[in-house]
Amino acid sequence: GGRNYVQDYKFQRQDIWKKNVGSVITIDNDNGWVVLNESTSNPYVYQFFDVSTFKVGEPLTLQYEIKCEGVSANTATNSMLVQTVLTGYESDKTFIGDKVNFGSHANNVANLTEWTKCAFTKNLPNDFTGIGFFAIRLYARNFRGKVYYRNVKLEKGNVATDLSPAPEDAELNID
């Protein structure tokens, strides 16, 4: 399969995945998943990638498994959104803005009560020229319940290949 650029795809290390401030998030090292808990802070986790590793315009495929527990739209907004987003950052990791919505599950995630594999392919946008980093963000907003992610893989190309650890994880014996 293709090289996995996501380090710690099994959520076993505390130093790779970042959490947004105020989020109610559980990184379950034993089970290898992250849990986004209902919150008013739109919880998400993210991981930085050096843009120089990739070429503007090249296809990137993001895959992961997702499941939900007791999920429904927040009745105040009735507009639940679970998505994966590629965001841009300056070389000092100052946030620029959302660039690519890899995939949204909108209001249909309540049916995902079993682990479900998802894969989305998008091209790295032309306006990524000159930025320093991008991040993959696993995100949810306006919901009640829990949203789980596991087995995250980002690879070059437009085909989702078998899950594999990043070479950096293999060096640390994370499989």
Side-chain angles (χ1 to χ4, degrees), residues 55-67:
K55 294 179 184 164
V56 169
E58 83 177 319
L60 299 176
T61 297
L62 177 69
Q63 66 176 299
Y64 54 87
E65 293 176 32
I66 185 172
K67 89 172 174 177

Side-chain angles (χ1 to χ4, degrees), residues 1-64:
R3 182 219 198 277
N4 190 355
Y5 288 90
V6 171
Q7 293 183 45
D8 192 29
Y9 76 100
K10 287 191 173 183
F11 298 98
Q12 295 177 329
R13 297 171 49 199
Q14 296 295 320
D15 61 330
I16 299 295
W17 290 95
K18 311 295 183 205
K19 304 176 191 178
N20 71 321
V21 176
S23 287
V24 182
I25 294 171
T26 304
I27 295 179
D28 188 327
N29 306 102
D30 294 330
N31 289 306
W33 60 56
V34 64
V35 185
L36 308 182
N37 298 286
E38 68 181 77
S39 169
T40 57
S41 65
N42 301 332
Y44 61 87
V45 294
Y46 59 101
Q47 185 174 142
F48 286 113
F49 301 89
D50 186 338
V51 169
S52 67
T53 306
F54 305 90
K55 294 179 184 164
V56 169
E58 83 177 319
L60 299 176
T61 297
L62 177 69
Q63 66 176 299
Y64 54 87

Side-chain angles (χ1 to χ4, degrees), residues 22-159:
S23 287
V24 182
I25 294 171
T26 304
I27 295 179
D28 188 327
N29 306 102
D30 294 330
N31 289 306
W33 60 56
V34 64
V35 185
L36 308 182
N37 298 286
E38 68 181 77
S39 169
T40 57
S41 65
N42 301 332
Y44 61 87
V45 294
Y46 59 101
Q47 185 174 142
F48 286 113
F49 301 89
D50 186 338
V51 169
S52 67
T53 306
F54 305 90
K55 294 179 184 164
V56 169
E58 83 177 319
L60 299 176
T61 297
L62 177 69
Q63 66 176 299
Y64 54 87
E65 293 176 32
I66 185 172
K67 89 172 174 177
C68 300
E69 182 178 294
V71 168
S72 62
N74 179 328
T75 54
T77 62
N78 202 30
S79 177
M80 178 176 59
L81 182 64
V82 176
Q83 67 181 3
T84 50
V85 180
L86 190 149
T87 56
Y89 291 82
E90 301 286 355
S91 58
D92 65 357
K93 296 187 179 175
T94 301
F95 179 69
I96 296 171
D98 292 352
K99 297 292 186 178
V100 174
N101 179 1
F102 263 101
S104 293
H105 300 282
N107 289 313
N108 63 354
V109 295
N111 297 328
L112 300 176
T113 56
E114 301 293 326
W115 285 110
T116 303
K117 184 176 178 180
C118 300
F120 301 97
T121 299
K122 301 285 181 169
N123 290 344
L124 194 61
N126 291 332
D127 63 353
F128 263 46
T129 302
I131 72 165
F133 294 89
F134 69 88
I136 294 296
R137 185 171 69 192
L138 308 177
Y139 174 79
R141 75 168 188 226
N142 300 333
F143 73 101
R144 293 194 168 124
K146 296 180 180 182
V147 177
Y148 297 76
Y149 285 97
R150 73 176 183 189
N151 295 335
V152 183
K153 183 174 183 178
L154 177 69
E155 60 190 311
K156 294 179 180 180
N158 56 11
V159 176

